Amino acid sequence: MSGRQHHVRPGLLWPVVDLDHITSKIPGGLESDIISTVEFNPTGELLATGDKGGRVVVFQREQESKNQPHRRGEYNVYSTFQSHEPEFDYLKSLEIEEKINKIRWLPQQNAAYFLLSTNDKTVKLWKISERDKRPEGYNLKDEDGRIRDPSTITALRVPVLQPMDLMVEATPRRVFSNAHTYHINSISVSNDYETYMSTDDLRINLWNLEITNQSFNIVDIKPANMEELTEVITAAEFHPNQCNTFIYSSSKGSIRLCDMRASALCDNHCKFFEEPEDPSNRSFFSEIISSISDVKFSHSGRYLMTRDYLTVKVWDLNMESKPLETYQVHDYLRSKLCSLYENDCIFDKFECVWNGSDSVIMTGSYNNFFRMFDRNTKRDVTLEASRENSKPRAILKPRKVCVGGKRRKDEISVDSLDFSKKILHTAWHPSENIIAVAATNNLYIFQDKVN
């Protein structure tokens, strides 16, 4: 898991994101190594990734040292543990894969860190703690740990703590299972830090972090007759500073805002956000590409961001009729929807993230491209996360895709895009310009220009 460091010319992007060196981590060629989620903790000191093999890798940020001030920002492996194992549901003859669907950190209360991770069926609460001392001088055990015969013990000793090499331990503290019939697609921690919700295709459940044997069903859209099913829930998130409010998005391109104070079962929403479709643009693929794959509140709680197949939209919570801003992520794929349907790429679920000040948004695309949109200047940029253009001191050049006509030297033709290389998962440091980009089984960390 060696990290490589590269440098990028300053002034490459807008002042907001002046990205400097890249560190690529977690190389590996196995299907199980494919990264399935990336998440910074609330301080940004730790970064967790989950993969298809059920593993969680936690990176810790290097502290700045006087001799090497530019080293700050390097993230190195802190802890690796197996979070989920493959299971088999004998009642339904169904395999449950170990792939980590989402990771959510809890705010740090003491020396230990806590995170929630989930696969399709089970959520686990993990404690990650450090140990640098071990007890020695047991009375009932000898130094090798074997139990001593009590009749041979003639004197009592006071055990002492001896220093040892630092060890980082990950221990499962809670296992929340047996509450979802369908696959869990998202988890979200409330800002009361006592409850969280887990969401599958048809239901949202509310849990207390201390109680594993019961949860409350707060949304249920399952019809009495499953043949009448027209939409599924694709993502859900709590409001960042109102523990009673949450949103969920659907495969029909709508977002519902619910208030748990109104009723125990939030099947009736308080607000409904949906952009009516332009009839002139209607096609066979309209419904598929309007499905929302990710929804995120801004840090301020004033805005929502949604990602569908071709666009990112920003909504004002006070305006339900239409989005405030719409950004085209890869509009050049409109003419390619037929082949994207045939190779199943049209069902890819891209995520989107805000920067710490809600002024820039980022989301992924194909060919290892990721896109950034500055909401103030309306400027946007396409960047590529790949080993080829990550040579030491290489310049991270903005990329351009050419659609028909004459192709310039530095442009890439839409026909030569690699659809097997896709950036579905990205994360932004909560307060600094550091981003993590998962490109299949490689993690790239980009950061601000270091003086």
Side-chain angles (χ1 to χ4, degrees):
M1 297 212 179
S2 61
R4 298 181 302 168
Q5 184 169 308
H6 313 289
H7 288 274
V8 174
R9 186 174 59 193
L12 153 76
L13 293 178
W14 342 292
V16 222
V17 198
D18 206 5
L19 294 179
D20 185 38
H21 60 257
I22 310 155
T23 327
S24 72
K25 312 219 176 229
I26 331 189
L30 301 172
E31 171 81 7
S32 61
D33 293 330
I34 293 174
I35 299 171
S36 51
T37 183
V38 188
E39 189 78 11
F40 279 101
N41 80 331
T43 61
E45 289 302 302
L46 299 181
L47 170 68
T49 65
D51 66 21
K52 275 195 161 181
R55 287 182 301 272
V56 172
V57 180
V58 180
F59 297 89
Q60 186 180 42
R61 194 175 183 188
E62 287 285 304
Q63 292 305 312
E64 192 169 332
S65 65
K66 283 192 175 118
N67 358 349
Q68 293 177 303
H70 65 279
R71 291 281 297 183
R72 175 116 173 102
E74 277 278 290
Y75 281 80
N76 293 319
V77 176
Y78 178 63
S79 173
T80 304
F81 58 94
Q82 189 71 31
S83 173
H84 287 70
E85 304 278 356
E87 295 170 62
F88 193 79
D89 184 338
Y90 293 98
L91 289 173
K92 296 183 180 159
S93 295
L94 205 67
E95 276 188 76
I96 301 164
E97 58 176 349
E98 64 273 36
K99 175 187 155 206
I100 309 290
N101 292 342
K102 281 283 183 291
I103 288 172
R104 288 288 178 264
W105 289 91
L106 294 169
Q108 193 177 356
Q109 310 283 358
N110 51 29
Y113 301 97
F114 288 87
L115 63 81
L116 288 167
S117 65
T118 183
N119 68 348
D120 286 341
K121 296 285 179 188
T122 305
V123 183
K124 293 185 180 180
L125 174 69
W126 288 89
K127 176 186 181 182
I128 300 167
S129 53
E130 295 183 356
R131 204 169 67 182
D132 60 356
K133 291 185 177 62
R134 66 162 182 265
E136 279 183 8
Y138 287 102
N139 289 294
L140 298 175
K141 292 182 198 168
D142 59 23
E143 296 311 321
D144 298 329
R146 286 191 297 265
I147 301 291
R148 288 166 64 184
D149 177 5
S151 61
T152 63
I153 301 169
T154 55
L156 290 179
R157 298 185 288 177
V158 178
V160 289
L161 289 172
Q162 297 288 4
M164 60 178 251
D165 288 341
L166 178 70
M167 211 168 96
V168 181
E169 295 177 311
T171 44
R173 298 306 302 270
R174 307 264 188 284
V175 177
F176 306 89
S177 53
N178 304 325
H180 286 276
T181 314
Y182 307 96
H183 289 177
I184 299 172
N185 54 45
S186 53
I187 47 178
S188 178
V189 182
S190 163
N191 81 324
D192 61 12
Y193 308 133
E194 290 179 14
T195 54
Y196 78 91
M197 63 182 177
S198 55
T199 307
D200 68 27
D201 294 341
L202 298 178
R203 297 192 178 102
I204 300 177
N205 291 337
L206 182 71
W207 300 82
N208 185 302
L209 281 159
E210 300 294 324
I211 301 166
T212 57
N213 60 359
Q214 73 175 90
S215 63
F216 297 95
N217 180 223
I218 52 174
V219 171
D220 187 348
I221 65 165
K222 184 182 178 184
N225 177 4
M226 279 296 271
E227 286 175 11
E228 293 166 11
L229 183 70
T230 57
E231 65 179 331
V232 294
I233 301 169
T234 55
E237 191 180 57
F238 266 116
H239 191 284
N241 39 40
Q242 295 170 12
C243 58
N244 53 285
T245 311
F246 66 95
I247 42 167
Y248 68 91
S249 58
S250 88
S251 57
K252 274 194 160 176
S254 58
I255 309 109
R256 291 170 174 84
L257 179 87
C258 302
D259 187 339
M260 288 190 284
R261 295 172 303 186
S263 69
L265 192 63
C266 302
D267 285 354
N268 296 324
H269 48 265
C270 308
K271 291 190 175 186
F272 181 78
F273 303 85
E274 187 177 45
E275 185 168 34
E277 194 195 359
D278 180 358
S280 63
N281 283 341
R282 180 139 190 88
S283 74
F284 170 75
F285 305 108
S286 293
E287 209 156 288
I288 304 172
I289 63 172
S290 66
S291 173
I292 292 172
S293 54
D294 196 17
V295 60
K296 292 263 171 45
F297 272 108
S298 63
H299 294 83
S300 66
R302 169 74 193 268
Y303 303 103
L304 295 176
M305 168 168 56
T306 58
R307 170 73 209 258
D308 56 41
Y309 191 65
L310 295 175
T311 66
V312 173
K313 297 186 171 105
V314 175
W315 303 76
D316 187 324
L317 242 57
N318 300 326
M319 185 169 79
E320 297 166 62
S321 55
K322 62 173 196 280
L324 205 59
E325 301 150 24
T326 301
Y327 300 99
Q328 300 296 336
V329 177
H330 37 216
D331 205 41
Y332 45 78
L333 296 183
R334 259 182 215 282
S335 59
K336 295 260 174 289
L337 294 177
C338 245
S339 53
L340 290 163
Y341 180 75
E342 283 162 14
N343 64 15
D344 277 353
C345 282
I346 201 165
F347 302 106
D348 284 334
K349 292 178 166 51
F350 292 95
E351 294 171 6
C352 51
V353 287
W354 301 87
N355 73 339
S357 60
D358 300 332
S359 59
V360 184
I361 53 187
M362 170 172 64
T363 191
S365 180
Y366 294 103
N367 208 67
N368 276 355
F369 288 168
F370 60 98
R371 304 269 285 134
M372 289 184 172
F373 303 94
D374 186 317
R375 297 181 56 215
N376 301 325
T377 63
K378 301 298 179 221
R379 290 173 70 186
D380 65 283
V381 71
T382 303
L383 297 168
E384 185 180 3
S386 74
R387 286 174 170 264
E388 290 75 56
N389 67 5
S390 301
K391 297 187 186 80
R393 301 192 179 279
I395 294 165
L396 193 64
K397 289 197 189 108
R399 303 300 306 262
K400 280 209 163 55
V401 177
C402 131
V403 191
K406 213 170 171 193
R407 187 165 70 87
R408 293 204 189 114
K409 186 165 67 87
D410 56 344
E411 290 185 336
I412 181 167
S413 159
V414 69
D415 297 316
S416 54
L417 293 174
D418 186 343
F419 290 104
S420 66
K421 293 179 173 175
K422 48 191 95 165
I423 289 179
L424 303 175
H425 315 287
T426 57
W428 205 308
H429 188 288
S431 55
E432 296 178 41
N433 279 331
I434 298 176
I435 57 171
V437 175
T440 321
N441 46 19
N442 289 302
L443 176 71
Y444 292 89
I445 296 169
F446 300 81
Q447 79 156 52
D448 242 349
K449 179 72 186 140
V450 178
N451 296 323

